[in-house]
Amino acid sequence: MAQDRGPVATARPRRGPPEAATSFDEWVGSAAEELLRFARVTTGDDPADLVQDALVAVFTRWSTLDAASAVAYAKRVIVNGHVSRWRRWRRRVVPVGLSEPETAAGTPLPAEDVLVARQLLDGLPVRQRAAVFLRFYDDLSYRDIADILGCREATARSYIHRALQQLKQHLETESHR
């Protein structure tokens, strides 16, 4: 005769900030969406594979990481994984099926603006695109960006400066046509 074990508790993803997580499972529940969004925007690759690789890397080092640094480490793994794939395959994957970005007020941006922004960002080298995303979307400091990208703070500043110069030059060229 089967014993009644009472109601079975189902694990629900934690919705608080990843830094507040106390276990790896809680951390994954709170950080997964952020990591998927980061991978999708910065790499243009299939984000699920890159995020899965990052989660495996974080899991193997979980005992040496705190929850706050785990997000930065995962983002670094995502960028490095994408760069490795790009070098290996020497081709570019176009992002498909991204949700529409929103303004600070929460209203969707016009489709034409979104398309232009994606095309401009796709024209940037991977590390510059990642740096721009981390700076202006995640609102990270140059020091945090440098930690994630595995470079010096001055290099992170240089990535962003060069990316903005390239974007500005492209927009000025387009406006003169």
Side-chain angles (χ1 to χ4, degrees):
M1 181 173 191
Q3 291 181 329
D4 183 21
R5 296 183 185 195
V8 177
T10 57
R12 292 189 177 173
R14 183 179 175 94
R15 295 293 179 208
E19 297 81 18
T22 57
S23 72
F24 180 75
D25 290 339
E26 284 182 6
W27 178 81
V28 169
S30 61
E33 187 175 320
E34 176 183 350
L35 294 174
L36 279 168
R37 185 174 48 251
F38 174 78
R40 187 179 301 123
V41 172
T42 58
T43 68
D45 259 346
D46 177 21
D49 289 341
L50 291 167
V51 171
Q52 184 66 33
D53 292 345
L55 293 177
V56 169
V58 169
F59 180 76
T60 60
R61 298 192 61 176
W62 184 252
S63 63
T64 63
L65 296 171
D66 58 26
S69 62
V71 172
Y73 180 69
K75 287 180 178 181
R76 182 175 181 179
V77 170
I78 289 168
V79 170
N80 289 346
H82 176 68
V83 169
S84 294
R85 287 180 184 185
W86 180 82
R87 286 179 180 156
R88 196 170 36 245
W89 295 320
R90 299 280 189 221
R91 67 179 172 91
R92 215 160 170 169
V93 179
V94 178
V96 176
L98 296 176
S99 61
E100 293 301 317
E102 297 179 350
T103 64
T107 58
L109 291 170
E112 185 177 317
D113 291 350
V114 172
L115 181 61
V116 169
R118 285 184 184 159
Q119 289 172 343
L120 289 172
L121 290 172
D122 284 346
L124 295 174
V126 174
R127 290 196 173 265
Q128 286 181 9
R129 185 176 23 189
V132 167
F133 178 83
L134 291 167
R135 180 70 177 149
F136 298 107
Y137 191 82
D138 278 353
D139 198 29
L140 295 182
S141 68
Y142 291 109
R143 181 184 199 95
D144 292 339
I145 294 167
D147 289 342
I148 290 171
L149 296 179
C151 62
R152 295 180 183 197
E153 186 175 337
T155 304
R157 288 178 186 274
S158 177
Y159 285 151
I160 292 168
H161 175 76
R162 288 179 182 164
L164 294 177
Q165 288 300 107
Q166 185 175 341
L167 293 172
K168 180 181 176 184
Q169 181 181 8
H170 183 75
L171 289 172
E172 288 174 350
T173 303
E174 288 297 314
S175 70
H176 291 348
R177 286 186 183 183

